Amino acid sequence: MSFISKNEGPLDRAARVIAGVLLLALAATGTLGVWAWIGVVPLATGLLGWCPLYTVLRINTCRR
């Protein structure tokens, strides 16, 4: 049993992964600059299926 339970649904996860990859691609090409590296956050949370902010705010988009 994991101490981190998933709190993101499939649509939420897909949107985060797409946004993260897009931001990282724009950062790598120099289009948006250094701030676009923040794309690591939505990419990681989308891949893990867990968002720490959702935990704090008690939001859950994952079906049980």
Side-chain angles (χ1 to χ4, degrees), residues 1-10 48-51 54-55 58-64:
M1 185 174 199
S2 175
F3 67 93
I4 297 176
S5 61
K6 295 191 184 295
N7 59 7
E8 296 175 358
L48 291 173
W50 177 75
C51 176
Y54 274 16
T55 302
R58 298 178 188 217
I59 297 172
N60 189 343
T61 60
C62 183
R63 290 185 182 170
R64 299 245 168 178

Side-chain angles (χ1 to χ4, degrees), residues 8-21 42-43 45-47 49:
E8 296 175 358
L11 185 60
D12 192 6
R13 292 180 71 182
R16 287 170 183 261
V17 169
I18 291 168
V21 169
L43 180 61
T45 59
L47 292 174

